[in-house]
Amino acid sequence: MEQILLAQTPGKPQWTRVEWAQQILLHAYTHSSTHHSAPLLTAIGYINWWEGRGSKAHQ
């Protein structure tokens, strides 16, 4: 998992899978309590940063 999150894999990202994962994280965020929102928002922010959307990641 660490290799994937730090982009240390030999292959290129499968962006459709990344978008799908982001949608799952957003769905989980909308159905979670504020106690559990930080890890979900961190993962969503990281995906946005990884895709080159720094401003959206900052939000």
Side-chain angles (χ1 to χ4, degrees):
M1 181 61 124
E2 179 181 325
Q3 289 181 335
I4 293 169
L5 290 176
L6 298 176
Q8 300 296 315
T9 59
K12 64 181 182 175
Q14 295 178 4
W15 294 112
T16 55
R17 293 186 75 188
V18 173
E19 288 295 325
W20 181 73
Q22 187 174 17
Q23 292 301 317
I24 290 174
L25 289 166
L26 285 169
H27 181 76
Y29 169 69
T30 61
H31 290 87
S32 67
S33 68
T34 56
H35 180 71
H36 296 101
S37 62
L40 295 167
L41 291 173
T42 300
I44 292 167
Y46 186 80
I47 289 172
N48 280 301
W49 173 80
W50 195 32
E51 291 178 324
R53 300 179 191 146
S55 296
K56 192 170 182 179
H58 179 72
Q59 289 177 338

